[in-house]
Amino acid sequence: MTATDFVGPLRLGVNIDHVATVRNARGGAVPDPVRAAVLAQSAGADGITAHLREDRRHIRDADIEALVEALHIPLNFEMAATAEMQTIALRHRPHAVCIVPERREERTTEGGLEVAGDQNRLADYIAPLADAGCRVSLFIAADAVQVEAAASVGAAVVELHTGAYCDFHDEGQFAERDAELARIAAAATKAHALGLEVHAGHGLSYDSVGPIAALPEVVELNIGHFLMGEAIFRGLPDAMAEMRRLMDASRVKAVA
Ligand code: PXP
């Protein structure tokens, strides 16, 4: 006989950066990323993620201000560990601050944060943000050394980088994909055992989300680029509903 076992709820955070990328391509006011965030909120998003980059290539300071005003779901404010961003975060006190590495020449956030080796600076950097009530998340590669370092600097959350897993999946390199998935699973288990909340994201699509959503320690996925692309064809609420359906389906495990 087969029963089903629900692994636990999984939150969907919607990243709206790419709406701002399209807006900025013409330098005007449309499409408005805040409108996308409000639509995602009313369509059942559990949170909104926005990355204020040092070069302001997509999200701008005024967008963050408007998001803080408009949202009643948690805002996950993504940023580099710079003094300027710390000041902005302390001014707005978002629900969560996700610290990511940032290089001007990259197209997107390419690697994980180098926490090991920068532990003293990051511990000092995180402390005032945590004191201000923000849940501090570190976006890291699925690597035991980085997970241990994240726990030691006082982060509440780690977000595991799924970019390499998704790239291997999309390129049909399934042995490499499965090895990366095993690394993500091991990192999730370790992070959870160290008392960290575990999130995951980057590059996830309908095709690749299932095995990540099935990891029991993962409680939040942050997804942007694929959802916004899909929204062009079916609208954002419908694109999100399909992602949610796939996520939820993966949380229900068949047990003997
Ligand atoms: N999580 C983090 C920390 C990110 O930097 C990004 C990309 O901005 C995402 C999730 C979402 O990635 P994608 O847009 O590829 O879904």
Side-chain angles (χ1 to χ4, degrees):
M1 207 174 75
T2 302
T4 54
D5 189 19
F6 184 56
V7 175
L10 179 61
R11 298 194 296 268
L12 171 60
V14 175
N15 182 314
I16 54 156
D17 295 349
H18 297 286
V19 181
T21 301
V22 176
R23 175 193 63 190
N24 295 1
R26 285 291 174 93
V30 295
D32 178 5
V34 180
R35 184 176 169 198
V38 170
L39 179 60
Q41 173 173 263
S42 58
D46 296 300
I48 298 294
T49 295
H51 183 181
L52 185 67
R53 292 185 76 103
E54 189 193 9
D55 62 9
R56 310 302 199 265
R57 72 170 71 154
H58 39 59
I59 295 294
R60 299 173 181 150
D61 299 65
D63 296 325
I64 298 294
E65 273 166 42
L67 287 168
V68 169
E69 280 293 308
L71 295 178
H72 56 74
I73 56 174
L75 173 64
N76 180 31
F77 178 53
E78 225 185 285
M79 61 180 221
T82 65
E84 181 200 19
M85 290 300 154
Q86 191 189 51
T87 303
I88 294 170
L90 289 173
R91 187 161 71 240
H92 294 302
R93 298 175 181 230
H95 167 82
V97 168
C98 180
I99 301 177
V100 301
E102 215 174 273
R103 288 193 303 277
R104 268 175 189 261
E105 64 278 12
E106 70 188 357
R107 266 185 298 178
T108 180
T109 311
E110 277 162 10
L113 191 68
E114 183 53 48
V115 186
D118 201 12
Q119 280 162 269
N120 291 343
R121 185 182 80 89
L122 281 170
D124 289 347
Y125 189 86
I126 287 170
L129 295 166
D131 289 347
C134 302
R135 282 182 75 69
V136 178
S137 168
L138 302 181
F139 186 50
I140 59 170
D143 178 285
V145 173
Q146 300 299 340
V147 171
E148 277 167 15
S152 79
V153 298
V157 180
V158 283
E159 181 167 331
L160 299 175
H161 199 314
T162 54
Y165 157 81
C166 292
D167 287 346
F168 287 135
H169 179 87
D170 295 345
E171 287 155 18
Q173 294 177 259
F174 296 131
E176 292 85 348
R177 175 201 61 186
D178 293 346
E180 188 59 26
L181 179 61
R183 275 192 284 275
I184 294 169
T189 302
K190 185 171 192 69
H192 181 73
L194 291 172
L196 292 159
E197 186 172 304
V198 185
H199 301 176
H202 208 283
L204 292 168
S205 67
Y206 294 155
D207 276 351
S208 57
V209 76
I212 300 294
L215 299 174
E217 298 90 355
V218 175
V219 296
E220 179 174 309
L221 299 182
N222 288 305
I223 308 180
H225 184 261
F226 178 85
L227 274 181
M228 294 309 161
E230 195 64 11
I232 293 169
F233 302 104
R234 60 202 294 179
L236 185 56
D238 197 39
M240 285 171 53
E242 176 63 3
M243 187 63 80
R244 176 81 78 181
R245 189 186 68 73
L246 293 165
M247 287 163 56
D248 289 349
S250 289
R251 298 303 266 186
V252 180
K253 272 203 312 204
V255 292

